[in-house]
């Protein structure tokens, strides 16, 4: 299973970006997918997640600015990021948890994509 994140880049404060995470298998096989981010010198944190039924949840730092979605037909996870702030600068990672009882070691991660918010 491979997760390929893309869409990062340099954007000015107040700008928007859309991250994509293309998966090599049917994403309906995952019970949960999400986006994490890791800023320099900080831990990797979950910022948005979507369950197989479509329910979403967000960290307070991004709620109302970011939107997570998934396109099962394209096997792709998205993160629409609006009103970006310098503190959103980080490497963003997509993450997927297979259905069933799995250990953390069986979770899947994509390679990160760097988002830099700066004027």
């Amino acid at each position: 299973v491979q997760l390929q994140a893309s869409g990062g880049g340099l954007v000015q404060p107040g700008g928007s970006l859309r991250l994509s995470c293309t998966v090599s298998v049917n994403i309906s096989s995952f019970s949960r997918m999400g986006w994490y981010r890791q800023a320099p010198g900080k831990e990797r944190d979950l910022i948005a997640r979507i369950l197989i039924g479509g329910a979403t949840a967000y960290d307070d730092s991004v709620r109302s600015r970011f939107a997570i979605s998934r396109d099962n037909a394209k096997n792709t996870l998205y993160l629409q990021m609006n009103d970006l702030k310098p503190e959103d600068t980080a490497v963003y990672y997509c993450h997927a948890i297979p259905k069933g009882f799995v250990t953390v070691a069986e979770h899947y991660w994509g390679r990160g994509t760097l988002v830099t918010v700066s004027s």
Side-chain angles (χ1 to χ4, degrees), residues 36-57:
Y36 285 70
R37 69 183 180 187
Q38 186 168 21
K42 296 188 177 181
E43 294 185 352
R44 188 178 298 187
D45 294 323
L46 176 65
I47 57 167
R49 65 104 169 114
I50 184 168
L51 302 181
I52 188 171
T56 59

Side-chain angles (χ1 to χ4, degrees), residues 9-115:
L10 174 64
V11 62
Q12 293 186 342
S16 298
L17 282 175
R18 188 176 79 158
L19 304 184
S20 299
C21 177
T22 302
V23 184
S24 63
V25 299
N26 189 334
I27 63 173
S28 296
S29 64
F30 300 121
S31 61
R32 190 184 96 174
M33 300 185 75
W35 288 95
Y36 285 70
R37 69 183 180 187
Q38 186 168 21
K42 296 188 177 181
E43 294 185 352
R44 188 178 298 187
D45 294 323
L46 176 65
I47 57 167
R49 65 104 169 114
I50 184 168
L51 302 181
I52 188 171
T56 59
Y58 300 90
D59 183 80
D60 287 344
S61 64
V62 305
R63 188 174 292 116
S64 80
R65 299 188 297 122
F66 291 10
I68 187 172
S69 61
R70 56 194 288 172
D71 186 330
N72 290 349
K74 295 182 178 180
N75 291 324
T76 302
L77 177 74
Y78 300 101
L79 184 68
Q80 177 67 42
M81 305 186 295
N82 300 322
D83 189 25
L84 283 159
K85 305 175 185 298
E87 52 264 41
D88 295 317
T89 295
V91 178
Y92 285 70
Y93 299 90
C94 53
H95 171 257
I97 302 176
K99 291 179 182 177
F101 182 77
V102 297
T103 65
V104 172
E106 294 172 284
H107 294 189
Y108 295 106
W109 291 92
R111 289 190 176 185
T113 184
L114 176 63
V115 173

